[in-house]
């Protein structure tokens, strides 16, 4: 994953919690990521976008699905999840 790809993630540019979540995801610290997501659920989309950008398709689908379980009416996330599912 290039530095530009990380910077290009929508949420990671404007949300410090999302930037932290992306860094934790890149480090592979699943336990810390789960703790952060429990307290800051708004960063789910940034992590899902990162997973999609790095072709971690099943992780991306899981994070988009978890986000949709909290906000089922989000059409942008539904489209993103659909695009990732289409790759599989």
């Amino acid at each position: 994953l290039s530095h530009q790809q990380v910077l290009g993630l929508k949420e990671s540019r404007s949300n410090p919690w999302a930037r932290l979540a992306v860094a934790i995801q890149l480090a592979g610290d699943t336990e810390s990521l789960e703790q952060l997501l429990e307290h800051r659920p708004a960063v789910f989309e940034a992590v899902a976008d990162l997973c999609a950008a790095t072709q971690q398709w099943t992780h991306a689908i899981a994070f988009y699905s978890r986000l949709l379980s909290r906000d089922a009416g989000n059409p942008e996330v539904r489209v993103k999840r659909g695009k990732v599912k289409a790759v599989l």
Side-chain angles (χ1 to χ4, degrees), residues 16-34:
W17 293 108
R19 286 195 309 265
L20 177 61
V22 167
I24 292 170
Q25 174 71 11
L26 287 171
D29 187 349
T30 307
E31 184 179 330
S32 294
L33 181 61
E34 288 299 323

Side-chain angles (χ1 to χ4, degrees), residues 59-76:
H59 285 84
I61 291 169
F63 282 113
Y64 286 135
S65 295
R66 287 173 70 181
L67 179 59
L68 287 169
S69 73
R70 296 173 179 269
D71 181 13
N74 189 326
E76 182 180 319

Side-chain angles (χ1 to χ4, degrees), residues 5-6 13-16 28 30 33 53 56 64 74 76 85:
Q5 284 175 307
V6 172
R13 287 186 303 201
S14 61
N15 182 332
T30 307
L33 181 61
Q56 298 175 33
Y64 286 135
N74 189 326
E76 182 180 319
K85 282 184 172 184

Side-chain angles (χ1 to χ4, degrees), residues 32-52:
S32 294
L33 181 61
E34 288 299 323
Q35 289 175 358
L36 177 61
L37 292 173
E38 183 179 318
H39 297 288
R40 299 286 178 182
V43 301
F44 272 97
E45 189 170 358
V47 175
D49 290 347
L50 172 67
C51 291

